């Protein structure tokens, strides 16, 4: 018997629950040089904005204990080139495509999503409300009413499911989650990076030109798990877990805490083929635990 | 078919070259035949909390043995830990990565400039050029360092049969001074077309870039930037282009035409 890794989220059917996280897989072209992207449940593309962005000057990444800091600054090709070139490339693969969208104002999210509504290969959009590297974006991340309005406005123009991606840099993530749910979000994904800093003791300067950056990698997994579990109890819509996932064990942890699927991020920088291994290992785990379906794991955490 | 692989390989040979320089022969690597001069591999330092891989230019290849050779100098924590590994230890390698050097035309004399630990990719290029050069004087290998102990593997370079010019800042071997001075002198005495290839410390690359632009000599530089992913997905390894915007050194580079990148 082969265990069933399929998951269905907001009506979208995924072959397996392993997606790649926005900003950590580009638009898929580079990973396609290493393996067939069709093995992935889905691919979440780098945040796109209305206009192309160059991003912050270097250095914009720094290595830290069990992870990294980044202040890329939303470098991306802009929505026009994304639709003309990048989305076309992804059409060759039998995987779900989730387009991550960022903006400074609600209207920018709406403008981009209206364009994407005409692209059937964009199976879902993920609204990046949480980029810590662009000042304006954080407002939506921290204000439940603004988040609700942003989701509701996008829902009006994009006919397919909408994911709201939450920031951990807030006082109560459940509050924002409920705001997004009220606005009509179909799915929530969490978490984005945590604000962090690294300092060079020779120059007395921060190690990033942006001074602070977003912390990601195994270092943030415990924070992400706690937040996924908290939000799981606070809302009824499905969740996608993100944060420091590098192995099948991590995926099982996130699913037990309430995630219906996960995104692998920074791990791709160190092990670009991590998703391939995780999918294989998950099958073995299910067989060992005599589970027929991976969905049997969702929310099965037994709390003390 | 994948162009790039992630593979487990074994350190087959380790050589201490002195002055914190080490050479590893690593095999098997299935893509060894596809590796071109200028390309690099990304190596995971095993059993440590060091998170990113570290980039090393390919120094030489042995297709029959499916082996790749690298040379590295202990620079920080990652390379220090790497230097403590032994033959038989496993390494996880990702590659081949990056672009490669464009070969010179038949008319051009290849001026190959290596500074310190920038030597490996220049050697690999020289090795590939040597058999196709009908006249060995059509290539000159410039090798510079602070001191003679920086000029590792000199005997092996000389075995290629092309002329080797050395320079050290302390005068312990070859010319006293910077290798770029020896290069400038050579260019002044040269008749006919030439093309420069260089890899080494930042200051040297800046000087070569300036010299080549001033004299309108075509050439290529192999550049460096800290590389979290090595394959183009993190956007961390960027350098500014002269024409504006940024370039990903791991993907569009590490080899660039002179004048292309703002150094
Ligand atoms: C394309 C390319 C080819 C290279 N080829 C060689 C080679 O053939 N031989 C060799 O000895 N070295 C080579 N290097 C440099 C080598 O990768 C660095 O010495 C190494 O990254 C420093 O690591 P560390 O762990 O010793 O230092 P650490 O102090 O532990 O590194 C600290 C951090 O700084 C970053 N970092 C600092 N300086 C550099 C740098 N110059 N390049 C990249 N990352 C840096 C590292 O990513 C790391 O995150 C190459 C680098 C690149 C980019
Ligand atoms: C270099 C880098 C760039 C990122 N860019 C984006 C982005 O453009 N949009 C976004 O929503 N998240 C972005 N993220 C956040 C990731 O998608 C993910 O939420 C976060 O890194 C946590 O997961 P991880 O620990 O598995 O990396 C980026 C992360 C990194 C490391
Ligand atoms: S090292 Fe990640 S893009 Fe170059």
């Amino acid at each position: 018997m082969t265990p069933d890794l399929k998951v269905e989220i907001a009506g979208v059917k995924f072959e397996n629950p392993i997606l790649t996280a926005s900003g950590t897989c580009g638009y898929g072209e580079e990973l396609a040089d290493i393996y067939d992207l069709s093995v992935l449940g889905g691919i979440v593309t780098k945040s796109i904005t209305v206009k192309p962005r160059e991003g912050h000057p270097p250095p914009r990444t720094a290595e830290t204990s069990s992870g990294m800091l980044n202040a890329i600054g939303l470098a991306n090709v802009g929505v026009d080139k994304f639709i003309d070139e990048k989305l076309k490339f992804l059409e060759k693969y039998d995987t779900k495509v989730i387009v991550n969208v960022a903006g400074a104002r609600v209207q920018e999210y709406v403008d981009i999503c209206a364009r994407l509504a005409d692209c059937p290969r964009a199976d879902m959009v993920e609204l990046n409300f949480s980029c810590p590297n662009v000042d304006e974006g954080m407002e939506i991340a921290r204000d439940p009413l603004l988040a609700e309005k942003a989701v509701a406005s996008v829902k009006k123009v994009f006919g397919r499911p909408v994911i709201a991606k939450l920031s951990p840099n807030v006082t109560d993530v459940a509050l924002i989650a409920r705001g997004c749910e009220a606005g009509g979000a179909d799915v929530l994904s969490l978490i984005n990076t945590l604000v962090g800093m690294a300092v060079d003791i020779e120059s007395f300067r921060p190690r990033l030109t942006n001074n602070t950056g977003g912390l990601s990698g195994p270092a943030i997994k415990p924070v992400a798990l706690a937040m996924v579990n908290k939000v799981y109890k606070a809302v009824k819509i499905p969740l996608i877990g993100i944060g420091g996932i590098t192995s099948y064990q991590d995926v099982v942890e996130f699913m037990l805490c309430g995630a219906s699927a996960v995104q692998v991020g920074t791990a791709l920088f160190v092990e670009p083929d991590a998703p391939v291994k995780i999918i294989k290992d998950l099958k073995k785990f299910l067989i060992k635990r005599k589970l027929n379906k991976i969905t049997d794991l969702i929310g099965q955490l037994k709390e003390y | 078919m994948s162009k790039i692989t992630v593979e487990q390989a074994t350190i087959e040979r380790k050589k201490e070259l002195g002055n914190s320089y080490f050479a590893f022969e690593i095999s098997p690597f299935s893509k060894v035949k596809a590796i071109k001069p200028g390309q690099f591999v990304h190596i995971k330092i095993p059993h440590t909390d060091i998170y990113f891989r570290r980039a090393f230019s390919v120094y030489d290849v042995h297709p029959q043995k499916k082996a790749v050779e690298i040379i590295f100098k202990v620079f920080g924590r990652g390379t220090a830990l790497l230097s403590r590994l032994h033959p038989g230890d496993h390494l996880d390698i990702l590659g081949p990565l990056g672009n490669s050097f464009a070969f010179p035309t038949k008319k051009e004399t290849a001026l190959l400039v290596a500074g310190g630990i920038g030597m490996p990719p220049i050697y690999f290029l020289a090795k590939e050029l040597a058999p196709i050069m009908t006249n060995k004087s059509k290539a000159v290998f410039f090798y510079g360092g602070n001191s003679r102990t920086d000029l590792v593997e000199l005997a092996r370079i000389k075995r290629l049969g092309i002329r080797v010019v050395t320079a050290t800042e302390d005068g312990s071997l070859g010319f006293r001074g910077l290798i770029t001075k020896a290069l400038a002198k050579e260019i002044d005495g040269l008749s006919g077309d030439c093309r420069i290839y260089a890899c080494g410390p930042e200051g040297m690359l800046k000087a070569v870039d300036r010299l080549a632009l001033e004299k309108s000599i075509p050439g290529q530089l192999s550049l460096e930037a800290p590389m979290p992913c090595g394959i183009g997905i993190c956007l961390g390894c960027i350098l500014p282009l002269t024409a504006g915007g940024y370039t990903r050194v791991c993907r569009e580079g590490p080899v660039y035409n002179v004048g292309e990148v703002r150094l």
Side-chain angles (χ1 to χ4, degrees):
Chain A
M1 184 210 67
T2 46
D4 185 3
L5 291 192
K6 291 193 187 66
V7 293
E8 187 174 324
I9 304 171
V12 178
K13 294 189 170 80
F14 294 85
E15 271 308 300
N16 62 64
I18 310 302
L19 327 181
T20 55
S22 178
T24 64
C25 55
Y27 307 103
E29 292 143 319
E30 294 82 7
L31 288 179
D33 282 348
I34 307 180
Y35 52 90
D36 183 354
L37 299 181
S38 303
V39 302
L40 299 169
I43 176 161
V44 187
T45 54
K46 172 84 195 161
S47 277
I48 50 163
T49 49
V50 176
K51 295 245 164 64
R53 288 174 60 104
E54 267 183 12
H56 296 308
R60 36 159 98 157
T61 59
E63 193 176 42
T64 67
S65 313
S66 295
M68 69 179 282
L69 284 170
N70 92 80
I72 304 298
L74 286 186
N76 79 95
V77 297
V79 66
D80 291 337
K81 192 164 174 189
F82 174 79
I83 291 174
D84 291 347
E85 291 175 18
K86 309 297 178 179
L87 204 51
K88 206 151 270 150
F89 170 82
L90 285 170
E91 278 170 14
K92 292 189 286 192
Y93 297 95
D94 185 16
T95 186
K96 296 295 174 220
V97 177
I98 298 172
V99 182
N100 183 297
V101 175
R105 279 165 290 114
V106 172
Q107 193 55 43
E108 290 183 25
Y109 287 93
V110 174
D111 290 346
I112 299 172
C113 292
R115 301 273 316 274
L116 292 168
D118 300 330
C119 308
R121 268 317 308 260
D123 295 292
M124 292 181 164
V125 291
E126 181 180 66
L127 309 178
N128 177 7
F129 286 165
S130 37
C131 183
N133 303 321
V134 189
D135 296 339
E136 320 88 51
M138 277 313 290
E139 259 176 82
I140 305 178
R142 290 197 180 126
D143 181 344
L145 287 175
L146 199 52
E148 180 181 339
K149 185 181 153 210
V151 175
S153 311
V154 167
K155 281 296 288 180
K156 278 190 209 129
V157 298
F158 188 75
R160 278 155 271 146
V162 173
I163 307 172
K165 182 167 177 177
L166 306 180
S167 167
N169 304 310
V170 294
T171 40
D172 185 1
V173 69
L175 208 64
I176 313 295
R178 278 195 221 103
C180 293
E181 189 181 39
D186 301 277
V187 186
L188 300 176
S189 62
L190 65 162
I191 56 175
N192 209 313
T193 54
L194 288 143
V195 176
M197 197 167 183
V199 174
D200 178 15
I201 62 164
E202 297 304 323
S203 63
F204 286 24
R205 284 178 147 185
R207 278 166 56 197
L208 300 175
T209 55
N210 193 51
N211 298 315
T212 60
L215 180 66
S216 65
I220 71 166
K221 196 186 86 178
V223 178
L225 278 173
M227 289 196 169
V228 165
N229 199 231
K230 185 171 187 186
V231 171
Y232 182 65
K233 292 173 191 161
V235 300
K236 297 207 165 54
I237 52 179
L239 308 182
I240 298 177
I242 322 166
I245 294 166
T246 62
S247 66
Y248 83 91
Q249 290 98 327
D250 297 335
V251 177
V252 175
E253 287 187 48
F254 272 89
M255 293 189 81
L256 291 175
C257 284
S260 295
V262 299
Q263 295 176 15
V264 177
T266 308
L268 298 171
F269 299 168
V270 186
E271 305 290 347
D273 61 343
V276 182
K277 288 187 192 140
I278 290 175
I279 291 162
K280 259 193 216 140
D281 291 346
L282 272 178
K283 279 187 196 148
K284 284 192 214 150
F285 175 78
L286 292 184
I287 292 169
K288 198 180 96 194
R289 295 286 312 210
K290 298 197 169 54
L291 295 167
N292 295 327
K293 310 191 298 290
I294 194 138
T295 48
D296 291 345
L297 292 170
I298 302 169
Q300 293 308 305
L301 188 72
K302 298 176 188 159
E303 279 186 30
Y304 290 105
Chain B
M1 256 284 280
S2 67
K3 287 191 230 162
I4 299 169
T5 68
V6 202
E7 290 176 9
Q8 285 286 321
T10 307
I11 300 172
E12 297 293 345
R13 284 200 307 152
K14 173 185 180 178
K15 214 159 99 187
E16 289 205 43
L17 306 172
N19 195 18
S20 304
Y21 285 84
F22 293 84
F24 279 174
E25 186 181 300
I26 306 162
S27 96
F29 186 62
S30 65
K31 297 270 182 251
V32 64
K33 278 200 184 117
I35 304 177
K36 296 197 262 321
Q39 289 196 292
F40 66 97
V41 289
H42 222 198
I43 295 184
K44 192 155 163 45
I45 318 281
H47 317 299
T48 70
D49 62 338
I50 290 189
Y51 195 60
F52 294 150
R53 290 168 184 267
R54 298 293 191 260
F56 299 98
S57 299
V58 172
Y59 168 51
D60 206 347
V61 293
H62 305 284
Q64 311 85 332
K65 291 195 272 180
K66 287 194 184 302
V68 171
E69 280 187 85
I70 60 163
I71 291 185
F72 65 94
K73 186 175 165 71
V74 173
F75 171 86
R77 238 162 67 76
T79 41
L81 287 164
L82 200 62
S83 74
R84 286 178 214 153
L85 298 179
H86 298 290
D89 286 340
H90 296 296
L91 280 180
D92 184 293
I93 72 174
L94 169 65
L97 303 177
N99 67 350
S100 54
F101 293 109
F103 283 11
T105 62
K106 280 213 172 67
K107 282 193 342 208
E108 289 169 343
T109 301
L111 305 173
L112 306 149
V113 192
I117 194 58
M119 183 275 281
I122 300 294
Y123 171 82
F124 188 18
L125 174 65
K127 187 193 167 195
E128 299 276 295
L129 287 182
I132 55 176
M133 292 249 163
T134 43
N135 179 351
K136 289 285 194 300
S137 69
K138 289 292 259 182
V140 190
F141 197 109
F142 295 87
Y143 194 6
N146 293 324
S147 180
R148 58 181 304 176
T149 49
D150 282 320
L151 306 190
V152 298
E153 298 278 86
L154 199 51
R156 185 155 158 186
I157 297 167
K158 285 183 172 160
R159 278 203 296 276
L160 294 176
I162 60 180
R163 186 152 66 88
V164 180
V165 177
T166 56
T168 51
E169 284 179 59
D170 67 1
S172 54
L173 193 73
F175 285 99
R176 179 188 289 273
L178 298 172
I179 191 70
T180 42
K181 239 195 201 149
L183 172 70
K185 233 170 95 189
E186 179 82 19
I187 291 171
D188 287 339
L190 211 67
S191 59
D193 297 342
C194 61
R195 183 179 290 262
I196 301 179
Y197 300 91
C199 185
E202 207 181 320
M204 183 197 103
L205 292 175
K206 269 188 194 165
V208 171
D209 197 51
R210 216 176 315 119
L211 188 70
L213 287 175
E214 266 168 25
K215 311 226 173 220
S216 305
I217 299 170
Q220 290 182 308
L221 312 173
S222 174
L223 303 180
E224 264 193 22
M227 289 183 179
C229 79
I231 58 172
I233 54 176
C234 75
L235 307 182
C237 65
I238 53 155
L239 287 178
L241 288 165
T242 319
Y246 293 117
T247 176
R248 294 173 298 179
V249 182
C250 72
R251 188 93 183 171
E252 283 85 42
V255 177
Y256 291 91
N257 290 329
V258 294
E260 201 179 346
V261 171
R262 196 144 29 93
L263 295 173

